[in-house]
Amino acid sequence: MLKDSNHCDCSSISNLISHSKPSLSRKEADEVYKLIISGELAQGRKVEEFESEFEKFTGTKEAIAVNSGTSALHLSLLALGIKEGDEVIIPAFVCSALLNAVKYCNATPVLTDINSEDFNMDVKDVKKKISKKTKAVILPHMFGLPADLDTFIELDIPLIEDCAHSVGAHYKNRLVGTFGTISIFSFYATKMITTGEGGMIVTNSRKIADKIRDLREYDNKDFFTIRYNYKMTDIQAAIGICQLSRLQAFIERRKEIARIYTAALMDSGLRLPGVSEGKEHIFFRYIVVTEKEGLDNIIKNAEKRGICLRKPVYKPLSFFITESSCPVTGKIYNKALSIPIYPSLKEEAIDRIVCVLKDIIS
Ligand SMILES: *Cc1c(COP(=O)(O)O)cnc(C)c1O
């Protein structure tokens, strides 16, 4: 625990505490070794096994593995028939994967603002931006906290749940990713679970799943249409199966770290993640909001003292598409910081992070 919260000696710190880190073990390495010996590297039996494990985990009828979360979004939009002239509603405070996926389909992205409390899409703003051309809403559950799914389902517009941050989180005791018409997951290196790069699409619609499976690969087809090579490899799937079996332990550890942060930073003057009725926060990120000016300087100072802090979103999409006004996104972008949280983060590191944060922010 903290020895002296006012005077932390960080001069002896030689290595930086990274902002995020994957949790890989001997188990993943052994599985990959077995596959390399077997010579079965590309999409095959392991991918099928990963898909069926994912179907079991989510309780959805169909799971389709792909090579990234971005490809998962792209194929989901195509399966919904999104094309030029259609509008797709996405939040402004998110990475540009969503913007790219909409643009791949030549559709029009329509940005909406977020809530300042939970950083998820503001459904009131979504309602203002719905038009006759709106064909889908992509709803990310940001930083591990489920969005208000009920209010989005009521919109009666095809919903793509983006669970890249929130695999394993529950909304009203039901797993996120089981509410949307389609849901997508990302297994990039620093996500909740990883395959290096990778993604998954789940749906209960056989028709949608068939279309996505067809578009995922180009070979052995009887007629030509534009298709992709978005396949996952068996090597990735083998890692993914191990990671999925460890997910619950990862979530427990993340929640434990979050409890330590919340207790230690209670009186720091920072705004901490709140609890919401009916929503399970799995703490993919631990986001604090500071009223202190100069986020870039805070990040630089923390780095000098051995801690890597990050802006939760590198650049909001409202920087790229400037016609929509998203004032809350702009405000949060200037005040929010993501502090290190991952299952392998040690107690000493947590203590040091708390200590430095108190020193430089409060
Ligand atoms: C990471 C991420 C994606 C894209 O996933 P990739 O696997 O990196 O392509 C999409 N949406 C959200 C919310 C993400 O965090």
mmCIF file with all atom_site columns, all heavy atoms in Angstrom, residues 59-73:
data_model
loop_
_atom_site.group_PDB
_atom_site.id
_atom_site.type_symbol
_atom_site.label_atom_id
_atom_site.label_alt_id
_atom_site.label_comp_id
_atom_site.label_asym_id
_atom_site.label_entity_id
_atom_site.label_seq_id
_atom_site.pdbx_PDB_ins_code
_atom_site.Cartn_x
_atom_site.Cartn_y
_atom_site.Cartn_z
_atom_site.occupancy
_atom_site.B_iso_or_equiv
_atom_site.pdbx_formal_charge
_atom_site.auth_seq_id
_atom_site.auth_comp_id
_atom_site.auth_asym_id
_atom_site.auth_atom_id
_atom_site.pdbx_PDB_model_num
ATOM 1  N N   . GLY A 1 59 ? -24.281 -16.931 -26.573 1.00 0.00 ? 59 GLY A N   1
ATOM 2  C CA  . GLY A 1 59 ? -25.631 -17.488 -26.722 1.00 0.00 ? 59 GLY A CA  1
ATOM 3  C C   . GLY A 1 59 ? -26.304 -17.045 -28.016 1.00 0.00 ? 59 GLY A C   1
ATOM 4  O O   . GLY A 1 59 ? -27.514 -17.174 -28.165 1.00 0.00 ? 59 GLY A O   1
ATOM 5  N N   . THR A 1 60 ? -25.520 -16.526 -28.963 1.00 0.00 ? 60 THR A N   1
ATOM 6  C CA  . THR A 1 60 ? -26.092 -16.147 -30.263 1.00 0.00 ? 60 THR A CA  1
ATOM 7  C C   . THR A 1 60 ? -25.948 -17.311 -31.236 1.00 0.00 ? 60 THR A C   1
ATOM 8  O O   . THR A 1 60 ? -25.093 -18.172 -31.063 1.00 0.00 ? 60 THR A O   1
ATOM 9  C CB  . THR A 1 60 ? -25.395 -14.889 -30.850 1.00 0.00 ? 60 THR A CB  1
ATOM 10 O OG1 . THR A 1 60 ? -23.997 -15.023 -30.664 1.00 0.00 ? 60 THR A OG1 1
ATOM 11 C CG2 . THR A 1 60 ? -25.871 -13.635 -30.169 1.00 0.00 ? 60 THR A CG2 1
ATOM 12 N N   . LYS A 1 61 ? -26.774 -17.302 -32.276 1.00 0.00 ? 61 LYS A N   1
ATOM 13 C CA  . LYS A 1 61 ? -26.797 -18.442 -33.193 1.00 0.00 ? 61 LYS A CA  1
ATOM 14 C C   . LYS A 1 61 ? -25.551 -18.508 -34.070 1.00 0.00 ? 61 LYS A C   1
ATOM 15 O O   . LYS A 1 61 ? -25.094 -19.581 -34.417 1.00 0.00 ? 61 LYS A O   1
ATOM 16 C CB  . LYS A 1 61 ? -28.047 -18.357 -34.084 1.00 0.00 ? 61 LYS A CB  1
ATOM 17 C CG  . LYS A 1 61 ? -29.340 -18.605 -33.318 1.00 0.00 ? 61 LYS A CG  1
ATOM 18 C CD  . LYS A 1 61 ? -30.445 -19.087 -34.257 1.00 0.00 ? 61 LYS A CD  1
ATOM 19 C CE  . LYS A 1 61 ? -31.752 -19.301 -33.526 1.00 0.00 ? 61 LYS A CE  1
ATOM 20 N NZ  . LYS A 1 61 ? -32.662 -18.122 -33.627 1.00 0.00 ? 61 LYS A NZ  1
ATOM 21 N N   . GLU A 1 62 ? -25.031 -17.325 -34.439 1.00 0.00 ? 62 GLU A N   1
ATOM 22 C CA  . GLU A 1 62 ? -23.933 -17.303 -35.404 1.00 0.00 ? 62 GLU A CA  1
ATOM 23 C C   . GLU A 1 62 ? -22.789 -16.418 -34.923 1.00 0.00 ? 62 GLU A C   1
ATOM 24 O O   . GLU A 1 62 ? -23.031 -15.295 -34.470 1.00 0.00 ? 62 GLU A O   1
ATOM 25 C CB  . GLU A 1 62 ? -24.418 -16.725 -36.742 1.00 0.00 ? 62 GLU A CB  1
ATOM 26 C CG  . GLU A 1 62 ? -25.671 -17.376 -37.295 1.00 0.00 ? 62 GLU A CG  1
ATOM 27 C CD  . GLU A 1 62 ? -25.410 -18.639 -38.081 1.00 0.00 ? 62 GLU A CD  1
ATOM 28 O OE1 . GLU A 1 62 ? -24.224 -18.932 -38.371 1.00 0.00 ? 62 GLU A OE1 1
ATOM 29 O OE2 . GLU A 1 62 ? -26.376 -19.331 -38.412 1.00 0.00 ? 62 GLU A OE2 1
ATOM 30 N N   . ALA A 1 63 ? -21.572 -16.914 -35.052 1.00 0.00 ? 63 ALA A N   1
ATOM 31 C CA  . ALA A 1 63 ? -20.383 -16.098 -34.820 1.00 0.00 ? 63 ALA A CA  1
ATOM 32 C C   . ALA A 1 63 ? -19.447 -16.294 -36.002 1.00 0.00 ? 63 ALA A C   1
ATOM 33 O O   . ALA A 1 63 ? -19.219 -17.428 -36.438 1.00 0.00 ? 63 ALA A O   1
ATOM 34 C CB  . ALA A 1 63 ? -19.692 -16.498 -33.518 1.00 0.00 ? 63 ALA A CB  1
ATOM 35 N N   . ILE A 1 64 ? -18.939 -15.193 -36.544 1.00 0.00 ? 64 ILE A N   1
ATOM 36 C CA  . ILE A 1 64 ? -18.056 -15.248 -37.705 1.00 0.00 ? 64 ILE A CA  1
ATOM 37 C C   . ILE A 1 64 ? -16.766 -14.515 -37.347 1.00 0.00 ? 64 ILE A C   1
ATOM 38 O O   . ILE A 1 64 ? -16.789 -13.317 -37.043 1.00 0.00 ? 64 ILE A O   1
ATOM 39 C CB  . ILE A 1 64 ? -18.704 -14.587 -38.957 1.00 0.00 ? 64 ILE A CB  1
ATOM 40 C CG1 . ILE A 1 64 ? -20.090 -15.185 -39.235 1.00 0.00 ? 64 ILE A CG1 1
ATOM 41 C CG2 . ILE A 1 64 ? -17.798 -14.751 -40.182 1.00 0.00 ? 64 ILE A CG2 1
ATOM 42 C CD1 . ILE A 1 64 ? -21.241 -14.286 -38.917 1.00 0.00 ? 64 ILE A CD1 1
ATOM 43 N N   . ALA A 1 65 ? -15.642 -15.237 -37.400 1.00 0.00 ? 65 ALA A N   1
ATOM 44 C CA  . ALA A 1 65 ? -14.346 -14.632 -37.066 1.00 0.00 ? 65 ALA A CA  1
ATOM 45 C C   . ALA A 1 65 ? -13.779 -13.916 -38.284 1.00 0.00 ? 65 ALA A C   1
ATOM 46 O O   . ALA A 1 65 ? -13.912 -14.402 -39.412 1.00 0.00 ? 65 ALA A O   1
ATOM 47 C CB  . ALA A 1 65 ? -13.380 -15.717 -36.601 1.00 0.00 ? 65 ALA A CB  1
ATOM 48 N N   . VAL A 1 66 ? -13.165 -12.777 -38.055 1.00 0.00 ? 66 VAL A N   1
ATOM 49 C CA  . VAL A 1 66 ? -12.519 -12.007 -39.124 1.00 0.00 ? 66 VAL A CA  1
ATOM 50 C C   . VAL A 1 66 ? -11.162 -11.484 -38.645 1.00 0.00 ? 66 VAL A C   1
ATOM 51 O O   . VAL A 1 66 ? -10.771 -11.736 -37.506 1.00 0.00 ? 66 VAL A O   1
ATOM 52 C CB  . VAL A 1 66 ? -13.415 -10.829 -39.614 1.00 0.00 ? 66 VAL A CB  1
ATOM 53 C CG1 . VAL A 1 66 ? -14.610 -11.321 -40.401 1.00 0.00 ? 66 VAL A CG1 1
ATOM 54 C CG2 . VAL A 1 66 ? -13.849 -9.943  -38.453 1.00 0.00 ? 66 VAL A CG2 1
ATOM 55 N N   . ASN A 1 67 ? -10.474 -10.761 -39.532 1.00 0.00 ? 67 ASN A N   1
ATOM 56 C CA  . ASN A 1 67 ? -9.101  -10.362 -39.204 1.00 0.00 ? 67 ASN A CA  1
ATOM 57 C C   . ASN A 1 67 ? -8.979  -9.055  -38.414 1.00 0.00 ? 67 ASN A C   1
ATOM 58 O O   . ASN A 1 67 ? -7.889  -8.699  -37.992 1.00 0.00 ? 67 ASN A O   1
ATOM 59 C CB  . ASN A 1 67 ? -8.247  -10.309 -40.479 1.00 0.00 ? 67 ASN A CB  1
ATOM 60 C CG  . ASN A 1 67 ? -8.758  -9.261  -41.453 1.00 0.00 ? 67 ASN A CG  1
ATOM 61 O OD1 . ASN A 1 67 ? -9.838  -8.705  -41.279 1.00 0.00 ? 67 ASN A OD1 1
ATOM 62 N ND2 . ASN A 1 67 ? -7.992  -8.995  -42.481 1.00 0.00 ? 67 ASN A ND2 1
ATOM 63 N N   . SER A 1 68 ? -10.078 -8.325  -38.218 1.00 0.00 ? 68 SER A N   1
ATOM 64 C CA  . SER A 1 68 ? -10.014 -7.132  -37.366 1.00 0.00 ? 68 SER A CA  1
ATOM 65 C C   . SER A 1 68 ? -11.421 -6.660  -37.003 1.00 0.00 ? 68 SER A C   1
ATOM 66 O O   . SER A 1 68 ? -12.409 -7.071  -37.632 1.00 0.00 ? 68 SER A O   1
ATOM 67 C CB  . SER A 1 68 ? -9.275  -5.982  -38.060 1.00 0.00 ? 68 SER A CB  1
ATOM 68 O OG  . SER A 1 68 ? -10.094 -5.387  -39.044 1.00 0.00 ? 68 SER A OG  1
ATOM 69 N N   . GLY A 1 69 ? -11.475 -5.787  -36.024 1.00 0.00 ? 69 GLY A N   1
ATOM 70 C CA  . GLY A 1 69 ? -12.748 -5.162  -35.658 1.00 0.00 ? 69 GLY A CA  1
ATOM 71 C C   . GLY A 1 69 ? -13.257 -4.266  -36.772 1.00 0.00 ? 69 GLY A C   1
ATOM 72 O O   . GLY A 1 69 ? -14.469 -4.170  -37.014 1.00 0.00 ? 69 GLY A O   1
ATOM 73 N N   . THR A 1 70 ? -12.334 -3.630  -37.477 1.00 0.00 ? 70 THR A N   1
ATOM 74 C CA  . THR A 1 70 ? -12.724 -2.753  -38.593 1.00 0.00 ? 70 THR A CA  1
ATOM 75 C C   . THR A 1 70 ? -13.373 -3.567  -39.709 1.00 0.00 ? 70 THR A C   1
ATOM 76 O O   . THR A 1 70 ? -14.413 -3.172  -40.250 1.00 0.00 ? 70 THR A O   1
ATOM 77 C CB  . THR A 1 70 ? -11.485 -1.994  -39.134 1.00 0.00 ? 70 THR A CB  1
ATOM 78 O OG1 . THR A 1 70 ? -10.826 -1.356  -38.035 1.00 0.00 ? 70 THR A OG1 1
ATOM 79 C CG2 . THR A 1 70 ? -11.871 -0.959  -40.161 1.00 0.00 ? 70 THR A CG2 1
ATOM 80 N N   . SER A 1 71 ? -12.777 -4.723  -40.049 1.00 0.00 ? 71 SER A N   1
ATOM 81 C CA  . SER A 1 71 ? -13.393 -5.596  -41.071 1.00 0.00 ? 71 SER A CA  1
ATOM 82 C C   . SER A 1 71 ? -14.759 -6.070  -40.601 1.00 0.00 ? 71 SER A C   1
ATOM 83 O O   . SER A 1 71 ? -15.688 -6.201  -41.405 1.00 0.00 ? 71 SER A O   1
ATOM 84 C CB  . SER A 1 71 ? -12.557 -6.842  -41.339 1.00 0.00 ? 71 SER A CB  1
ATOM 85 O OG  . SER A 1 71 ? -11.213 -6.570  -41.395 1.00 0.00 ? 71 SER A OG  1
ATOM 86 N N   . ALA A 1 72 ? -14.868 -6.347  -39.294 1.00 0.00 ? 72 ALA A N   1
ATOM 87 C CA  . ALA A 1 72 ? -16.151 -6.791  -38.733 1.00 0.00 ? 72 ALA A CA  1
ATOM 88 C C   . ALA A 1 72 ? -17.216 -5.714  -38.942 1.00 0.00 ? 72 ALA A C   1
ATOM 89 O O   . ALA A 1 72 ? -18.348 -6.014  -39.344 1.00 0.00 ? 72 ALA A O   1
ATOM 90 C CB  . ALA A 1 72 ? -15.994 -7.112  -37.248 1.00 0.00 ? 72 ALA A CB  1
ATOM 91 N N   . LEU A 1 73 ? -16.838 -4.453  -38.726 1.00 0.00 ? 73 LEU A N   1
ATOM 92 C CA  . LEU A 1 73 ? -17.784 -3.346  -38.954 1.00 0.00 ? 73 LEU A CA  1
ATOM 93 C C   . LEU A 1 73 ? -18.132 -3.228  -40.431 1.00 0.00 ? 73 LEU A C   1
ATOM 94 O O   . LEU A 1 73 ? -19.303 -3.068  -40.790 1.00 0.00 ? 73 LEU A O   1
ATOM 95 C CB  . LEU A 1 73 ? -17.179 -2.026  -38.457 1.00 0.00 ? 73 LEU A CB  1
ATOM 96 C CG  . LEU A 1 73 ? -17.166 -1.799  -36.951 1.00 0.00 ? 73 LEU A CG  1
ATOM 97 C CD1 . LEU A 1 73 ? -16.316 -0.577  -36.604 1.00 0.00 ? 73 LEU A CD1 1
ATOM 98 C CD2 . LEU A 1 73 ? -18.593 -1.638  -36.394 1.00 0.00 ? 73 LEU A CD2 1
#
